[in-house]
Amino acid sequence: ISSCYSGWACTRSTPKKRGKFRRPPRPAPSKLRPKAVVTILVSGSGTGVGKTRVTAALARTAHRAGKRVQIVKPIQTGVAEGAPSDADDAVALAGIPRANAYTLRRYPAALAPIAAAASAGVEFLLPEVLFETRNLPDTDVRLIEGAGGLAVPLAYGAIFGEVCPTDWKVYAMKVNVDAVVLVVPDELGAINQARLVYCYLVAENPLTKGGMFRSLEGGVFLNALKPPPPEVAASTRAALRGCQVPVWGELATDAIEPHIQKPLSDWLGLA
């Protein structure tokens, strides 16, 4: 039984004679493993879905709870050298020190990362970015904002003998993130977008099949770029509940205070 269409390995269970499948409760973050820095990747269903806005709202919330917050943009495209990056915009919106923003690579062309680097006449070397991400200064909460959607490739090639482009999902595994926030516009069509990106996140790939990396935990964050009709908002939430796609948070149009659900609130250290 699966909440996704054939071919996706997510939310599977062994058929039972009675009752509905329910996932076992996940331990609180503090009981999972000792870790000094909580790392969250903010990705989404595509470009222009409001990742920077959601990142800023999460940073502001964690900062107000007394946490040291860091915002990282591993790859910034479409912004000239010297201009504010998404990380700079996010810390400004969140009201946290500008020094807490880190932009590791930037390319002026508004293209996908590999193409943007090529347009600038350089090669995008993912191992270098992974190394720099892992060696950032200490903090309590590290919010990493991806570029584009979750499945945007960051490198091509084979992983463990299988063709599997390295995208933000693989990046998240390699930097050992605690959770992935999937930003989806709160509008008509959100059900399809949320299911697709969530199922891709939790589906197995050569990295998880080989036992080298654990599966990722994630949830959808509905971001209202404009106010959705009440009936659309209600039907979106009902459908995602029915499809067992977790909604971890919501952000209303022009709001700066998000509505955050567990376990995301636990990862951010909220009381």
Side-chain angles (χ1 to χ4, degrees):
I1 300 171
S2 173
S3 66
C4 304
Y5 55 80
S6 176
W8 292 87
C10 65
T11 356
R12 296 191 180 278
S13 66
T14 302
K16 295 183 179 180
K17 291 183 179 179
R18 300 186 341 173
K20 224 173 181 180
F21 170 64
R22 292 289 184 271
R23 291 184 176 186
R26 183 178 175 85
S30 60
K31 297 180 181 179
L32 292 177
R33 64 185 185 280
K35 189 175 181 182
V37 180
V38 170
T39 304
I40 297 171
L41 172 66
V42 180
S43 188
S45 57
T47 300
V49 297
K51 295 187 298 294
T52 301
R53 181 170 177 257
V54 170
T55 299
L58 297 178
R60 175 183 171 87
T61 301
H63 179 65
R64 292 178 64 183
K67 303 296 180 182
R68 296 174 300 156
V69 183
Q70 196 177 85
I71 297 178
V72 183
K73 186 76 174 183
I75 309 154
Q76 176 72 64
T77 65
V79 173
E81 190 67 36
S85 70
D86 288 346
D88 297 323
D89 291 341
V91 295
L93 288 170
I96 63 178
R98 186 181 177 86
N100 291 23
Y102 295 85
T103 302
L104 306 185
R105 296 290 183 279
R106 72 168 70 213
Y107 309 110
L111 300 170
I114 297 175
S119 176
V122 298
E123 182 181 3
F124 175 67
L125 299 175
L126 181 61
E128 292 183 358
V129 174
L130 291 169
F131 176 82
E132 291 173 26
T133 304
R134 297 186 189 110
N135 288 276
L136 286 165
D138 187 42
T139 189
D140 295 324
V141 176
R142 177 173 295 138
L143 298 169
I144 302 175
E145 182 188 340
L150 183 67
V152 169
L154 304 176
Y156 300 124
I159 297 176
F160 300 121
E162 297 188 41
V163 176
C164 179
T166 298
D167 53 20
W168 289 107
K169 174 178 174 176
V170 177
Y171 171 95
M173 293 178 181
K174 290 190 173 184
V175 299
N176 194 27
V177 304
D178 294 287
V180 180
V181 171
L182 301 167
V183 181
V184 174
D186 193 359
E187 61 188 13
L188 188 64
I191 299 168
N192 179 64
Q193 292 186 52
R195 289 193 67 203
L196 285 173
V197 71
Y198 176 71
C199 285
Y200 179 69
L201 176 73
V202 299
E204 286 189 343
N205 72 2
L207 291 177
T208 53
K209 286 180 180 178
M212 298 295 293
F213 294 88
R214 62 182 175 83
S215 298
L216 294 169
E217 180 182 9
V220 169
F221 203 104
L222 295 170
N223 179 39
L225 301 174
K226 59 182 180 180
E231 64 275 15
V232 170
S235 64
T236 295
R237 287 149 180 78
L240 294 181
R241 282 195 302 271
C243 293
Q244 300 182 53
V245 175
V247 176
W248 280 5
E250 304 173 20
L251 188 59
T253 308
D254 298 327
I256 58 173
E257 300 294 340
H259 178 64
I260 300 174
Q261 304 276 9
K262 287 180 176 290
L264 181 56
S265 58
D266 293 329
W267 289 120
L268 294 173
L270 308 181

